[in-house]
Amino acid sequence: MSSIRIVRPRRLLLASATLTFAAADMPVALAQQFREPLPPVEVSPAQSRKQAKPAGREGRSARRAPSRRSAAAAPNPAVPGAEAQTQATTPLNSNAVAESASRLGLTVRQTPATVEVISAETMREQGYRTVSEVAQGAVGVTSGDNPAEPAAFSMRGFTNSQINTLYNGIKIGPQNMTSRITDTANLEAIEFLKGPASLISGEGAAGGAINFVTKQPHAGAIRNEADFSWDSLNSFRAHYGSGGSTNVQGLDYRFDISRSALNGFVDDTNTKMLDVSGQLNYRVSDSLKVWGAIEYREDRGKAYWGAPLVPIAFSGSHATTGIVSGNYSNRTDLGAITIDDRTFNTNYNVLDNRNVAQEVWLRGGFELKLAPDLTLKSQAYGYGAERTWFNNEIAAFDSTNNQVYRERFYVAHSQRLVGNITDLIWDADVAGFDNRLVTTLSSSYLDFVRPGAANFPNDYVSLVDPDRGFYGTLTTKQQTARIDNEALAFEDRLKLTRTFALIGGLRVEHIGLDRNSTDAAGIVNAGFPYTKDWAPVTGRIGYTWEAVPGLTFFSQYATGADVSANNIFLLAPTQPLDLTTARTYETGVKHLFWDNRAEWSFSAYDILRKNVYAAAGGQALNIAGRQESKGVELAASVRPVEPLRLWGNIAYVDARYADYNFVGGSFSGNTPPNVPRIVANAGASYRFFTPWPVELGITGRHVGDRYNTDANVVTMKAYTVADVYAFVDIPKTVFGAVDQARLTFRVRNITDKRYAIWGDPFYPDQILLGAPRTYELSAAFKW
């Protein structure tokens, strides 16, 4: 339950007050690639950060491996069954360690949950340019770069801020306030944890968590890489990266810089991105490593806000089929609606529009082995961001004058976040059983200032060839939010047998919110300032059982919690701000077989979320009672023969509201927006081992029907798209100093399918369309 206070002193509890600073080539694969796992506690200079280590007695044997190379050469004989860790690639990347899924250092196969890790190699192979494109290739995940909430995701029936977005395991705030279109060039991996995940990432993870992991230093010879691409929309991307050991004993580095300008298919739309990141790791001794990292990101864009829904009766011969369907009434009654084919490339935004964000990360910490079985890890971090939206955001067709009503909106963010995460890892015997316990203390303080529009200039323009004009007069008001967060978490893995483990955890959290709001004259609005506190308790209990070598069964019960601070700028102080809680039951199986040439996984789940807030259009919210989500997911990948790779996944979800009643109606039984019942991906590639090796590949994606609002009156129709590619690897003899060179030709959306990719429930009068067919040339070099 929440309690009300009048004032709160600004504070931040840090477990560490001092900010201390501290790839090898992988084989090509079309399926999800193996990202060398990140060990949770090892700091020995003989071992790479990326080598996984199991818990318990087996882990202590593994830690005695004399070097990274010898450890990677063969399984450790002291580590049986599921505990055997090698550097071998698995088709579904199940050897990877997902730090956003567990602090125990478990691989995907050892975790009693559905976890997917998509590596940098896979991103390059599949041509994933942004994090949204990566999500579209994951199992059961959809995404859309709606400019109001860029990099929005849908997973297991939940969307947007019901899914935590993490950066190197750190949450910076609700997704619908903080996410940006992000290039993949500087990323080492993206991790997807399905279902309630508050144990690891805190409040907000009812539907799961998605973690972006930047590229890390490695010990060994310096490796460099450079990538370039250009497409038929005149987009370009360029990236340079370098990493390895320096001349200073124990000092390793990683540096990446990327620049891209992605042009949209709609007139005068684009996104320009710059990302510079670097990290130093310094092994002071066999028992101590310190590290430091810095990153600067910037994006500037001219945004596409969607095509307006138009009456079929008005469009006539220009009406389309297969994109949207239904009858719609909002500003005016449109009757049966369509997307007019004359609006495919039409931009209704004002000429002086802009979307801008600048972000800075500072992170640093240490890993200290206090005793053979006791390790302390700590990192302190600071984050700052400035964001601006200055656009015409509403484009709604008005049937009374057959024109498009437009309305402007401005908002800016100034955000500061500081915090600390400290882990104490203890390996021990409990009544003769191997056990690992991780105790985590975390704290953070967030300061959020939000100037926004106090007036909303509007006008009417023609549907075809609109006079876009300019924004007009702007007056502003201001809102602020200050959130402090402290959490204590415990996570444990108890090995009852060599193949059966119990895994569980508990998180106790305090969240405090101070909020204020003033009008255009600077006068404090009624009901402000106000203060709230929440104390959610969340956790997970589950098991893994390797019934036979390579075949692992798992089940879990997990809980999550949100506070309405996820949408705090949309709620009045008089509205309920109770906790939103979620729980999941999940069971499944993960199977690696055929000498590591084939792998499949299956999971079934049942999620219930209570006290749900849902978009009611404009800037209003409804209380939807509860949301129920049940589904299954299946993924598989196989290499029947060395040149051929086949992979596919399919997800089915039945997500519905319950007890969603309001004056004048009910949405009980309706499906939440942007949630397809079916999502499927499949791909195949064949490699010709010629003097200049050539690979040909195709990938396909099917997304089922979705709705754009809780009312479920407009359907975004199901679609199927496919990409094809061909690349050639140029031998080292051609370029001399360049060890690897690859030229790729790719066709995206080869059938030129027109489809609806996303709908913003706050702007229900318009739909975002997917990109048409494009052609791309790229080159990549390593040396």
Side-chain angles (χ1 to χ4, degrees):
M1 298 296 293
S2 62
S3 60
I4 299 178
R5 294 185 292 116
I6 302 303
V7 295
R8 172 194 314 285
R10 300 185 187 183
R11 65 185 186 276
L12 172 66
L13 303 178
L14 293 181
S16 172
T18 303
L19 184 65
T20 41
F21 289 95
D25 299 327
M26 291 179 283
V28 175
L30 179 62
Q32 308 306 328
Q33 298 295 309
F34 171 64
R35 176 169 68 93
E36 294 178 80
L38 311 175
V41 298
E42 289 309 303
V43 298
S44 167
Q47 282 189 294
S48 164
R49 176 184 185 273
K50 295 183 180 180
Q51 183 181 354
K53 180 184 70 60
R57 207 173 303 159
E58 293 88 353
R60 292 195 291 276
S61 298
R63 287 198 298 273
R64 288 193 289 268
S67 71
R68 176 187 176 194
R69 292 183 178 180
S70 61
N76 191 322
V79 183
E83 304 299 352
Q85 300 301 321
T86 76
Q87 299 287 7
T89 300
T90 73
L92 290 180
N93 203 11
S94 62
N95 272 353
V97 171
E99 296 179 328
S100 60
S102 173
R103 296 190 180 278
L104 292 166
L106 305 178
T107 67
V108 170
R109 281 202 312 279
Q110 296 168 337
T111 304
T114 300
V115 184
E116 187 173 3
V117 179
I118 297 181
S119 70
E121 189 71 8
T122 296
M123 298 181 210
R124 183 179 72 137
E125 191 88 5
Q126 296 297 301
Y128 297 146
R129 299 167 295 181
T130 66
V131 297
S132 295
E133 292 180 354
V134 176
Q136 291 168 12
V139 183
V141 183
T142 59
S143 64
D145 282 323
N146 163 34
E149 302 173 0
F153 306 104
S154 174
M155 187 164 69
R156 291 196 169 181
F158 299 92
T159 57
N160 295 357
S161 291
Q162 300 158 20
I163 300 168
N164 270 350
T165 300
L166 312 175
Y167 300 85
N168 294 296
I170 300 169
K171 181 183 177 182
I172 63 173
Q175 177 278 327
N176 63 348
M177 295 288 181
T178 60
S179 288
R180 306 297 300 178
I181 297 174
T182 304
D183 198 289
T184 58
N186 293 44
L187 296 180
E188 179 177 286
I190 298 181
E191 304 167 350
F192 297 83
L193 171 61
K194 312 290 184 65
S198 290
L199 171 64
I200 304 300
S201 59
E203 59 84 19
I210 300 175
N211 186 32
F212 306 139
V213 183
T214 53
K215 290 183 176 177
Q216 307 290 310
H218 73 270
I222 292 176
R223 302 289 297 169
N224 304 281
E225 57 188 61
D227 311 273
F228 310 92
S229 70
W230 174 88
D231 73 10
S232 54
L233 293 174
N234 207 30
S235 302
F236 80 88
R237 299 173 69 226
H239 162 250
Y240 169 75
S242 179
S245 297
T246 69
N247 292 330
V248 178
Q249 179 67 30
L251 182 64
D252 307 323
Y253 80 97
R254 178 72 199 191
F255 172 79
D256 290 272
I257 181 170
S258 61
R259 186 78 169 89
S260 61
L262 303 181
N263 292 323
F265 65 93
V266 172
D267 297 337
D268 191 27
T269 57
N270 60 68
T271 301
K272 298 177 181 179
M273 291 173 280
L274 171 67
D275 193 342
V276 183
S277 60
Q279 181 168 329
L280 293 175
N281 290 355
Y282 182 50
R283 296 182 300 278
V284 180
S285 66
D286 287 356
S287 60
L288 175 63
K289 179 179 79 175
V290 297
W291 61 275
I294 185 171
E295 181 171 9
Y296 172 79
R297 285 204 306 257
E298 176 181 300
D299 67 86
R300 299 177 180 271
K302 291 182 172 292
Y304 164 58
W305 289 83
L309 299 172
V310 177
I312 293 176
F314 175 83
S315 291
S317 62
H318 294 284
T320 59
T321 59
I323 301 179
V324 296
S325 66
N327 292 273
Y328 180 66
S329 176
N330 188 21
R331 175 170 298 276
T332 58
D333 187 358
L334 303 185
I337 49 86
T338 187
I339 298 294
D340 193 298
D341 63 15
R342 294 170 293 180
T343 67
F344 282 164
N345 306 107
T346 302
N347 188 347
Y348 295 94
N349 208 343
V350 291
L351 292 171
D352 53 348
N353 78 89
R354 64 183 183 273
N355 279 16
V356 180
Q358 296 171 304
E359 302 170 277
V360 176
W361 273 104
L362 290 172
R363 298 180 295 120
F366 64 87
E367 299 180 16
L368 174 64
K369 185 171 287 300
L370 301 172
D373 293 319
L374 191 64
T375 301
L376 180 68
K377 298 170 56 178
S378 184
Q379 73 161 318
Y381 58 86
Y383 169 79
E386 302 291 330
R387 312 181 190 96
T388 301
W389 289 260
F390 184 83
N391 297 274
N392 186 95
E393 298 194 357
I394 294 177
F397 189 84
D398 190 321
S399 61
T400 62
N401 58 19
N402 291 333
Q403 291 187 307
V404 175
Y405 170 80
R406 302 193 309 167
E407 188 174 294
R408 322 290 197 260
F409 186 70
Y410 161 82
V411 69
H413 297 167
S414 181
Q415 179 178 352
R416 301 294 180 267
L417 172 70
V418 293
N420 175 269
I421 303 173
T422 298
D423 297 325
L424 183 65
I425 302 102
W426 181 36
D427 291 327
D429 290 337
V430 176
F433 300 112
D434 294 319
N435 189 78
R436 168 172 286 181
L437 172 66
V438 178
T439 303
T440 301
L441 176 65
S442 61
S443 61
S444 66
Y445 176 78
L446 170 68
D447 186 281
F448 200 101
V449 180
R450 183 182 184 263
N455 69 317
F456 309 98
N458 60 81
D459 58 14
Y460 286 89
V461 297
S462 61
L463 179 71
V464 181
D465 297 326
D467 180 4
R468 293 169 56 192
F470 296 91
Y471 188 99
T473 303
L474 172 65
T475 59
T476 63
K477 56 187 178 180
Q478 181 168 289
Q479 302 182 53
T480 63
R482 295 183 175 91
I483 302 173
D484 62 80
N485 183 297
E486 301 86 28
L488 178 64
F490 303 92
E491 193 177 6
D492 190 86
R493 184 184 192 230
L494 178 64
K495 290 293 300 296
L496 296 179
T497 72
R498 294 163 69 90
T499 60
F500 186 89
L502 290 176
I503 300 163
L506 186 70
R507 181 186 182 99
V508 181
E509 191 167 7
H510 166 260
I511 304 161
L513 167 70
D514 294 302
R515 193 182 166 213
N516 201 1
S517 175
T518 58
D519 64 16
I523 300 173
V524 176
N525 289 315
F528 292 92
Y530 72 88
T531 300
K532 286 280 188 178
D533 288 274
W534 299 269
V537 178
T538 57
R540 171 203 289 164
I541 183 67
Y543 73 86
T544 59
W545 175 41
E546 190 177 32
V548 297
L551 179 64
T552 302
F553 294 91
F554 73 91
S555 296
Q556 70 156 332
Y557 170 80
T559 61
D562 311 90
V563 296
S564 44
N566 279 341
N567 293 300
I568 195 62
F569 300 118
L570 305 178
L571 292 171
T574 54
Q575 292 179 288
L577 294 175
D578 296 333
L579 282 173
T580 294
T581 59
R583 64 95 182 123
T584 186
Y585 299 102
E586 181 177 9
T587 190
V589 59
K590 305 169 186 179
H591 191 195
L592 175 65
F593 63 105
W594 201 7
D595 195 24
N596 287 5
R597 291 164 55 188
E599 188 169 18
W600 65 276
S601 65
F602 171 83
S603 62
Y605 59 87
D606 181 331
I607 303 174
L608 175 64
R609 183 170 181 250
K610 298 180 180 179
N611 300 328
V612 177
Y613 289 88
Q619 296 293 309
L621 294 176
N622 285 330
I623 300 177
R626 68 180 192 272
Q627 181 180 338
E628 301 168 348
S629 183
K630 301 177 182 179
V632 294
E633 296 174 352
L634 175 66
S637 180
V638 62
R639 186 197 304 174
V641 293
E642 179 61 28
L644 177 65
R645 298 179 189 273
L646 305 170
W647 66 274
N649 57 65
I650 186 169
Y652 169 86
V653 61
D654 181 11
R656 299 181 183 276
Y657 290 120
D659 299 333
Y660 190 166
N661 304 310
F662 53 91
V663 176
S666 172
F667 289 157
S668 295
N670 285 10
T671 299
N674 296 301
V675 175
R677 188 163 291 222
I678 296 286
V679 178
N681 294 278
S685 68
Y686 192 89
R687 187 171 178 86
F688 298 89
F689 292 100
T690 57
W692 287 30
V694 174
E695 184 165 309
L696 305 178
I698 182 171
T699 61
R701 177 169 177 80
H702 174 80
V703 177
D705 289 348
R706 296 135 293 142
Y707 301 105
N708 70 327
T709 68
D710 293 334
N712 288 187
V713 295
V714 174
T715 300
M716 297 182 289
K717 303 296 288 183
Y719 65 90
T720 302
V721 292
D723 299 348
V724 297
Y725 70 86
F727 66 71
V728 56
D729 287 333
I730 301 174
K732 182 178 180 179
T733 54
V734 175
F735 290 108
V738 176
D739 297 325
Q740 296 181 26
R742 173 175 293 178
L743 299 178
T744 303
F745 176 70
R746 190 180 308 274
V747 183
R748 303 179 191 273
N749 189 2
I750 190 171
T751 63
D752 201 25
K753 172 70 174 176
R754 295 286 186 171
Y755 62 97
I757 192 170
W758 198 260
D760 185 344
F762 288 109
Y763 297 109
D765 301 283
Q766 58 226 50
I767 299 293
L768 273 75
L769 302 180
R773 178 171 54 228
T774 57
Y775 306 91
E776 181 185 79
L777 287 171
S778 63
F781 306 92
K782 291 185 178 183
W783 68 97

